[in-house]
Amino acid sequence: MDEMDEQLWTDVDRYIGEHVGVADPALDATLAHSTEAGLPEIAVSAPQGKLLMLLAASIGARRILEIGTLGGYSTIWLARALPDDGELVTCEYSAEHAIVARRNIDDAGVGAHVHIKVGTAIETLPTLSGPFDLSFVDADKEHNADYFRWAVQLSRPGSLIVIDN
């Protein structure tokens, strides 16, 4: 993507954030805790998080797979779409990131729905049982093709797979 395209995406995302009203104290705290813990500032934006939540809700997702937890920002958005008996399984490579994510997820009030699997996704994905209604892939980009194959394998017909970048 060239610099002009990247700036356009940034401008559109900022405009949506300013006009759709996605401010949320728990999510703001999640970003602050993640930054304080030294995590890279690469979480999805608030409008992107809200879109993920709306997508999950629109398909009535009961089970969600996330590959790439980081500080739990997108995890929280997705978990908020789940019904009371819903489940989100998220794969995080870094044990340190998983500790920060667990705190953020619990503080946001969705911890009962979220299971964090620590280790490389290539190793943890084969241990999971599907089907998942929605899969969100936002991890190391070099393995996206592998993650996509696993998301397909762990999905049911009609499942939604979203891949960032």
Side-chain angles (χ1 to χ4, degrees):
M1 179 172 4
D2 69 23
E3 191 173 312
M4 185 174 165
D5 289 339
E6 189 170 331
Q7 185 60 48
L8 179 60
W9 277 108
T10 301
D11 291 345
V12 169
D13 202 55
R14 184 177 48 253
Y15 177 85
I16 292 170
E18 291 169 355
H19 291 86
V20 175
V22 293
D24 182 294
L27 291 166
D28 293 344
T30 293
L31 292 176
H33 294 150
S34 297
T35 299
E36 290 166 10
L39 274 63
E41 295 183 18
I42 56 173
V44 299
S45 68
Q48 292 164 351
K50 189 165 193 170
L51 174 62
L52 289 169
M53 183 183 74
L54 292 172
L55 289 171
S58 72
I59 64 166
R62 301 181 73 72
R63 292 193 77 220
I64 298 173
L65 170 64
E66 178 183 48
I67 303 171
T69 315
L70 194 60
Y73 187 78
S74 58
T75 313
I76 294 165
W77 278 107
L78 288 164
R80 286 179 171 180
L82 290 168
D84 289 340
D85 63 344
E87 173 188 38
L88 188 152
V89 177
T90 183
C91 302
E92 174 52 47
Y93 172 76
S94 166
E96 292 82 15
H97 292 180
I99 291 168
V100 174
R102 174 49 60 195
R103 173 187 173 197
N104 290 333
I105 291 163
D106 289 345
D107 287 352
V110 294
H113 296 289
V114 178
H115 307 284
I116 301 174
K117 302 291 186 181
V118 179
T120 67
I122 295 299
E123 293 173 352
T124 57
L125 288 167
T127 70
L128 303 180
S129 297
F132 290 96
D133 303 305
L134 183 147
S135 295
F136 176 51
V137 178
D138 188 16
D140 59 306
K141 306 311 176 201
E142 71 230 31
H143 290 108
N144 271 354
D146 295 320
Y147 300 150
F148 176 74
R149 282 191 281 280
W150 274 106
V152 169
Q153 184 172 337
L154 293 168
S155 293
R156 60 169 177 74
S159 290
L160 177 61
I161 299 172
V162 178
I163 300 178
D164 187 76
N165 292 346

